[in-house]
Amino acid sequence: MSHVLSITLPIYLLIALGFASTRFGVTTKEEIRGIGVLVIRFALPALIFRALSQRPFNEILNLNYLTAYGVGSLISFALMFGFMRFAKKRGLAASGMAGLGSSASNSGFVGFPIVAMMVGPSAAIALALNLIVESILIFPLGLGLAESESRQDDPLHEILFFVFRRLTRNPMVLAIFAGTAASAIGAPLPSALFKAVDLLANAATPAALFAIGGTLAGLSLRGLSWDAPRIVVAKLFVHPLAVAGVLLLFPGFDPQLKKAAIIYAAGPMASVYPLLAHPYDKDGVAAAALLGATFFSFFTLSALLLVI
């Protein structure tokens, strides 16, 4: 147990530090937003680029991982979407956002530091593969369904173009393409440029954890309803179980990547979740779900690491 806590406790202590710092006025919301911008637009993309550019191209293009994590995430999305849409009679926007919250993990901010201590260098490769699944599959699906409710009179191709344009402006998506291209070409970066990328990448983990704590301190629970706990349960339990179940179909799967996939899936949802839900007036439920999932994930992830 002490070994598990030595992995999870430092992660959540940094989140708690960011939370307390913002709650007691040591840092402002604007300063936390600035740290978040640094992480999302520069540090995490640098980490992803560094990981991909230094690995052989055939190792990056891991179709088994993409399939297993993608199908498991789709199962979690479909179960939550179907439950909200048909059992609870929610609209497309609410159901789509619930599905997204139950299947898109906070892989960069919370998952990566834990997975890196568990499996080493494979953690960054798995992170990039997760982002491919989420960028190409989960986010377009959730946003597309939500957009279809608010743009019922617009043609389908305009909705799809809107979602595609939002995703292609994401720095982490661009880092995936750049890192993959660098790996395929095989040409190393100039020393000075690589050192700059390396410095940014090393800043990603502590800054990200501090930023998510500060972000949580500013979240409102006004949208707390039974929908939020349902999304929390789906994210922390259904998603990792779905991914683990699909992994059983791949007997020769790399054991380190298998651990990484399950741990990533067991993390809380992406920290941008309330921002994505805001245009559809679902940010209250999304914020409550994010806060609850981040808090309870300390206990569920610790238990999962004991099992693994």
Side-chain angles (χ1 to χ4, degrees):
M1 185 64 184
S2 60
H3 175 64
V4 169
L5 289 178
S6 71
I7 295 173
T8 57
L9 196 55
I11 306 303
Y12 286 87
L13 282 176
L14 281 178
I15 293 175
L17 179 63
F19 184 93
S21 177
T22 305
R23 177 55 62 89
F24 295 109
V26 179
T27 50
T28 65
K29 293 180 181 180
E30 289 72 23
E31 289 168 340
I32 290 297
R33 192 176 295 115
I35 296 172
V37 168
L38 169 67
V39 171
I40 293 173
R41 296 187 181 177
F42 299 101
L44 272 180
L47 187 149
I48 292 166
F49 177 82
R50 182 182 67 180
L52 295 178
S53 63
Q54 292 184 302
R55 292 299 183 96
F57 182 72
N58 61 340
E59 186 177 336
I60 295 172
L61 198 64
N62 191 321
L63 295 179
N64 284 346
Y65 188 101
L66 288 171
T67 302
Y69 196 85
V71 172
S73 299
L74 270 180
I75 290 172
S76 183
F77 186 106
L79 289 174
M80 191 61 191
F81 175 84
F83 176 78
M84 295 293 285
R85 179 67 173 155
F86 302 111
K88 295 300 174 183
K89 308 300 181 185
R90 300 293 191 265
L92 279 174
S95 302
M97 285 295 103
L100 192 153
S102 69
S103 55
S105 290
N106 196 337
S107 300
F109 282 25
V110 177
F112 176 76
I114 296 174
V115 177
M117 286 189 277
M118 285 292 292
V119 306
S122 297
I125 297 296
L127 170 62
L129 294 170
N130 289 354
L131 290 173
I132 291 173
V133 169
E134 290 165 0
S135 301
I136 294 177
L137 195 63
I138 302 302
F139 284 119
L141 184 58
L143 293 173
L145 287 168
E147 280 295 314
S148 66
E149 181 175 272
S150 59
R151 299 185 176 206
Q152 293 183 10
D153 297 329
D154 291 352
L156 178 62
H157 73 272
E158 289 189 10
I159 296 173
L160 294 176
F161 179 73
F162 171 80
V163 174
F164 175 77
R165 186 175 59 184
R166 287 186 65 178
L167 293 173
T168 53
R169 293 177 179 177
N170 187 316
M172 288 185 283
V173 174
L174 297 176
I176 291 171
F177 288 121
T180 303
S183 174
I185 295 170
L189 289 177
S191 177
L193 183 56
F194 178 80
K195 286 181 180 178
V197 171
D198 196 46
L199 286 170
L200 270 176
N202 291 336
T205 297
L209 294 172
F210 189 89
I212 194 174
T215 302
L216 291 174
L219 293 182
S220 169
L221 295 181
R222 63 181 174 82
L224 186 61
S225 68
W226 280 110
D227 286 352
R230 289 176 185 126
I231 298 170
V232 171
V233 170
K235 184 66 200 71
L236 299 184
F237 295 97
V238 177
H239 192 197
L241 285 173
V243 170
V246 176
L247 284 169
L248 295 176
L249 304 176
F250 296 86
F253 206 90
D254 183 332
Q256 297 303 314
L257 285 178
K258 183 182 291 187
K259 289 180 183 178
I262 296 172
I263 296 170
Y264 276 127
M269 64 282 293
S271 58
V272 296
Y273 182 44
L275 298 178
L276 295 175
H278 177 73
Y280 315 107
D281 199 28
K282 309 300 176 189
D283 50 322
V285 170
L290 175 62
L291 187 58
T294 304
F295 174 79
F296 286 110
S297 65
F298 170 73
F299 304 101
T300 56
L301 279 171
S302 297
L304 175 64
L305 295 187
L306 276 177
V307 174
I308 291 179

